[in-house]
Amino acid sequence: MPKPPSPRGARGPGLVDHAISALNAWIGDHLAESGNELEQPMAFYRENRSVAPEDLEAPPTGKVCVLVHGLGYNESSWKDPERGEGEDYGRRLEQQCGHMPLYLRFNTGLRISTNGALLADLLQRFCTRRDAGVSELLLIGHSLGGLVIRSACHRAHELSQDWVTLVRDVVYLGSPHLGAPLERATNAAAHFFGRIDTTATHVLSEVLDSRSAGVRDLRFGNLVDLDWTDRDPDELLHNRRSPVPWLATARHHFVVGRALPAVAAAGDWMVGSDSAAGRASGAQPGPPAGSDVVVMPGLGHLDLARHPAVFEHLERWITSDG
């Protein structure tokens, strides 16, 4: 069981927090297994403080927005220093649409399916409390965070958890639904260096192989336990991902970054356009009919979590009755 989060000050994540988030991305699974205090446990954050689900109440509107950050980040990834503290998506949604924002902080080095299960249970604890007053959920995930949301929704649907029926909209910002090319390249490089019989290449191969299960899951966008149970996590470019349906009762929205407007293949530098748009590959289901896909020319991967032009689409989707 994950240990409870320690109290945090009201200033928000500082340099040490950012270093811990990055460390969790690379070896977070090892930190969790060893009970290391540097593990970043999953928790909701409000006003820069962790808060237990039992201490939360929805606003009078009943609407709640959960923002799930990407690999190696924390809730600060939603804030753009150039635009001020009040300009992140959560605060603007609260001011303009009545959604209370909950910022998730979690150990991104754990399996995506593990984090999905933790998020599903956290939302169940919050949303099903009699006096919580939640009537509608909006889920926003950046990068790996979008995959964690998909995994949580799938688990909740399989277990018939009540909270999943409250999800109206899910927004994926640069999420690698078909996997990320950098992790596939790392997988291939580790195999290549491991085959060269020198001390330097063996050390390099071992360093690459020390990356966390959460990073490895990005190779093909694994979402469920079946994708990795009793299987070699380092096998060379073998896609064993199970087909996972999209949550049928929600509306799905995809934001695709195009760092070089004239070169679609470049994507947002980290995630390809097809992957971010969730386009079907092999046995994988494509996005539900009627899903929104918008391409953002000139925006890189992190831009998608904090840019005013992206928020305009968020606001349009969320206020739409369609």
Side-chain angles (χ1 to χ4, degrees):
M1 293 292 292
K3 56 183 179 297
S6 58
R8 300 280 181 174
R11 291 183 56 191
L15 184 60
V16 172
D17 297 273
H18 297 321
I20 290 174
S21 296
L23 183 67
N24 274 249
W26 192 256
I27 58 169
D29 50 349
H30 303 299
L31 296 177
E33 290 168 6
S34 62
N36 194 296
E37 292 184 357
L38 292 176
E39 189 209 353
Q40 182 168 275
M42 182 177 286
F44 289 135
Y45 277 69
R46 286 275 295 158
E47 304 300 331
N48 297 317
R49 294 181 183 274
S50 61
V51 57
E54 291 76 16
D55 296 331
L56 286 167
E57 293 183 8
T61 63
K63 300 177 181 180
V64 175
C65 171
V66 179
L67 299 100
V68 185
H69 62 74
L71 180 73
Y73 289 107
N74 50 50
E75 67 277 11
S76 68
S77 66
W78 303 102
K79 296 178 172 61
D80 188 340
E82 296 182 1
R83 296 186 174 89
E85 189 74 11
E87 287 297 306
D88 69 87
Y89 297 163
R91 289 180 180 272
R92 294 187 67 181
L93 286 168
E94 186 171 33
Q95 295 165 0
Q96 300 180 33
C97 304
H99 289 72
M100 179 183 80
L102 293 177
Y103 301 89
L104 195 72
R105 184 189 291 192
F106 64 105
N107 176 357
T108 55
L110 296 179
R111 288 282 179 190
I112 288 173
S113 58
T114 301
N115 275 321
L118 291 172
L119 176 57
D121 292 345
L122 204 60
L123 285 168
Q124 182 72 358
R125 285 167 57 193
F126 170 41
C127 294
T128 59
R129 206 180 71 245
R130 180 175 300 176
D131 57 348
V134 182
S135 61
E136 183 180 307
L137 280 175
L138 162 64
L139 306 179
I140 302 177
H142 176 239
S143 193
L144 174 143
L147 302 187
V148 171
I149 287 174
R150 283 192 64 190
S151 182
C153 288
H154 179 69
R155 177 181 173 84
H157 177 74
E158 293 286 292
L159 296 179
S160 299
Q161 290 184 328
D162 300 310
W163 69 266
V164 78
T165 63
L166 303 175
V167 179
R168 181 173 184 259
D169 292 275
V170 186
V171 180
Y172 310 97
L173 307 172
S175 294
H177 298 285
L178 307 181
L182 182 57
E183 163 53 21
R184 290 195 287 272
T186 303
N187 173 235
H191 273 264
F192 173 76
F193 290 122
R195 291 177 178 273
I196 301 175
D197 192 15
T198 69
T199 300
T201 53
H202 282 311
V203 169
L204 184 54
S205 179
E206 289 176 5
V207 169
L208 294 176
D209 280 336
S210 69
R211 67 195 188 283
S212 69
V215 173
R216 285 179 165 91
D217 274 344
L218 292 175
R219 195 177 309 156
F220 296 109
N222 294 343
L223 299 176
V224 295
D225 291 351
L226 183 62
D227 293 336
W228 52 268
T229 302
D230 298 326
R231 292 171 177 173
D232 178 9
D234 294 313
E235 59 184 350
L236 181 60
L237 298 177
H238 193 158
N239 187 354
R240 298 182 180 273
R241 185 182 57 176
S242 307
V244 173
W246 305 84
L247 181 63
T249 53
R251 303 187 302 186
H252 298 268
H253 316 279
F254 302 81
V255 180
V256 180
R258 185 174 291 179
L260 295 176
V263 185
D268 61 20
W269 293 126
M270 297 296 293
V271 178
S273 297
D274 285 347
S275 187
R279 296 190 177 99
S281 175
Q284 300 302 315
S291 296
D292 296 292
V293 178
V294 297
V295 177
M296 304 300 298
L299 296 192
H301 193 61
L302 187 54
D303 294 329
L304 301 178
R306 52 174 62 164
H307 200 280
V310 175
F311 181 79
E312 291 179 7
H313 291 287
L314 293 180
E315 186 177 26
R316 175 173 58 84
W317 290 329
I318 293 160
T319 57
S320 169
D321 294 328

